[in-house]
Structure formats: structure tokens, C-alpha cells
Amino acid sequence: MITFRKAFAKTALPAVLAALLALAPAGVSQAHEFKAGNIEVVHPWSRATPPGAKVAAGYLTIKNSGSEPDRLVSVTGEIAEKTEVHEMAVNGEGVMTMRPVSGGVEIPAGGEVELKPGSYHIMFMGLNRYAKEGESFSGTLTFEKAGSVTVEYSVDKLGATSGHGG
């Protein structure tokens, strides 16, 4: 004889759990902050790349809870042959320029630095695979004092501006 409890456990319970998982926001199921010493890397993300793309960019926020500044000195990305920190700026003639950052990026004590579109960002060059919306890829950020931290970049839609579908 099958009881109601056994019947529910075999049929309805799996369906209810599947429905709840499908409705849960993706960000709730996995953390998107990474730590190394006093450094916290928040929400690494990238844009999807179109077929034929040779470069991609990565964005994130770096927070330093320590009493001394630290410095981001190198970056890697599993999707690229070469990875660098770049800076976009407008020169005196009003022309936007992009160049690699030499000497790293200082993260002030008790402060944060945002790598975002139109500013500091991570360049993935010589892509060995495309960044596809909804997927992720790993990379490593190395800091002068905190050491290295491996992060996962969430890939947002092509043309996204915020890493949250925007």
C-alpha cells in the first residue's frame, strides 16, 4: 500500500523542487565575491563576444579592507593567450585612448577601485574561445601584498554595460 507521503515524495516533491530551482535568481545559487588577504574582488563579468572576435574585456570591483594600499600587478584569463590591465581615457584633444597600465593599479587602504567600461578594465587578447552569454570563465588576479586570487567571470549579453544584464 502506497501512502500519501510516499506518493508525494516520488512524484510531486521532485517537480516542486525543480520549479523552485528554475525560479531562483542565478546569482543566489553561487557566490560572486572572491578574497585574498585584505582584498575582495566583487562581481567579475565580461560581455559575450561575437564570432571572429580576437579580444574581450573584463570588469570587476576590487575592495581593500586593509590599513595599507595594495596593488594589482598582473592578470590572466583562461580564454586568452595574453591578458593585461588597460585604461581608457580622453586626452587633451578630446580623443579617447586605450593603453596598457604599467606598474599596476593601486587599491587604496580602506578603499576600492572599479574596473568598468570606459575606464580601467582587463583586456583578454588572442582569444582561444569565445565568451558566451550565460557561461563563465576563470582568471587570476595577482596583488603585490595579498597574493593571487582565482575568479570566475560571468558572461553577460553582447553590449552589456553593468554586468547585471544592463
Side-chain angles (χ1 to χ4, degrees):
M1 176 176 194
I2 297 178
T3 65
F4 173 76
R5 182 177 291 168
K6 286 181 183 176
F8 180 79
K10 287 184 178 181
T11 58
L13 185 58
V16 169
L17 290 175
L20 288 173
L21 286 173
L23 294 174
V28 173
S29 63
Q30 62 181 355
H32 213 112
E33 292 84 33
F34 306 88
K35 285 192 66 77
N38 292 321
I39 295 294
E40 180 181 16
V41 179
V42 181
H43 190 59
W45 67 281
S46 183
R47 294 180 179 122
T49 53
K54 294 184 178 8
V55 298
Y59 311 101
L60 46 84
T61 300
I62 303 168
K63 298 180 180 183
N64 181 356
S65 62
S67 58
E68 295 182 19
D70 204 339
R71 182 172 296 278
L72 175 63
V73 293
S74 69
V75 291
T76 66
E78 72 172 333
I79 66 168
E81 294 173 12
K82 184 176 182 181
T83 307
E84 299 176 340
V85 176
H86 281 203
E87 179 180 23
M88 289 186 80
V90 178
N91 69 18
E93 299 165 3
V95 177
M96 174 110 15
T97 61
M98 182 175 67
R99 62 179 176 80
V101 174
S102 61
V105 176
E106 183 172 298
I107 317 302
E112 67 181 52
V113 173
E114 185 178 6
L115 280 68
K116 60 185 179 182
S119 183
Y120 287 118
H121 58 279
I122 297 170
M123 285 298 300
F124 303 105
M125 299 169 287
L127 296 181
N128 53 45
R129 70 176 172 127
Y130 300 121
K132 295 180 183 173
E133 182 178 351
E135 294 184 352
S136 65
F137 62 89
S138 67
T140 302
L141 283 69
T142 302
F143 297 89
E144 196 170 69
K145 296 177 182 155
S148 295
V149 60
T150 299
V151 301
E152 285 289 320
Y153 292 86
S154 293
V155 181
D156 208 340
K157 66 183 178 183
L158 185 66
T161 59
S162 70
H164 295 285

